[in-house]
Amino acid sequence: MNLEGRKIIVNKSSKDLSELLKSPENYKEFMPDGLQKFETREDGFKFGLQGMPEIALKIDEVTDEKAVLKSASSSLDFTLTATLKPLNENQTEVQMLFEGKFNPFIKMMVEKPLQNFINTLTDKIEAYK
């Protein structure tokens, strides 16, 4: 299952964004309203949203071109990637891409909430100063 967020322009360099995305505690800024739990770990974070199970993510790779988060749970196999495309010194195009391997039943249950989550992340990153 693949999902895409809309492309946005952030008024930060890709280097500044990648530095921001290397630190687990910074991800709290991008979480949707209804956040009930947020715990940082050395290599990632765990969060809980109202009406959804807790999700643990590991920061797998961060470069000036992308930030890759992977599921820290062996029962869910997915990655969430933020692509970072520099437009100039102070602007970067960002797009969230989700790729997961789910059975058809799970896919049916999670597709809409995940798309909403990606849309909210996109909105929060776009509004970040």
Side-chain angles (χ1 to χ4, degrees), residues 10 12-21 84 92 94:
V10 179
K12 289 195 177 302
S13 71
S14 61
K15 185 173 178 18
D16 288 347
L17 277 175
S18 66
E19 285 303 311
L20 180 78
L21 297 173
L84 310 175
T92 305
V94 179

Side-chain angles (χ1 to χ4, degrees), residues 38-124:
F38 190 89
E39 293 175 6
T40 59
R41 300 173 173 175
E42 185 179 320
D43 64 346
F45 56 94
K46 183 179 192 177
F47 68 97
L49 297 172
Q50 195 170 337
M52 287 183 68
E54 288 182 4
I55 298 172
L57 294 171
K58 186 177 91 158
I59 300 172
D60 188 56
E61 175 186 7
V62 179
T63 67
D64 288 357
E65 289 90 38
K66 65 183 173 182
V68 180
L69 303 176
K70 287 192 171 183
S71 170
S73 166
S74 58
S75 61
L76 292 175
D77 182 10
F78 69 86
T79 58
L80 181 62
T81 303
T83 61
L84 310 175
K85 181 179 168 188
L87 299 176
N88 57 46
E89 287 179 11
N90 300 312
Q91 287 188 317
T92 305
E93 182 183 89
V94 179
Q95 185 177 28
M96 303 298 297
L97 305 171
F98 177 91
E99 185 177 332
K101 295 182 177 97
F102 302 122
N103 69 44
F105 179 71
I106 298 289
K107 179 185 176 196
M108 187 178 72
M109 287 179 25
V110 301
E111 191 166 16
K112 187 172 170 68
L114 277 172
Q115 186 66 59
N116 291 338
F117 177 67
I118 290 167
N119 293 344
T120 300
L121 283 178
T122 300
D123 293 344
K124 295 265 184 164

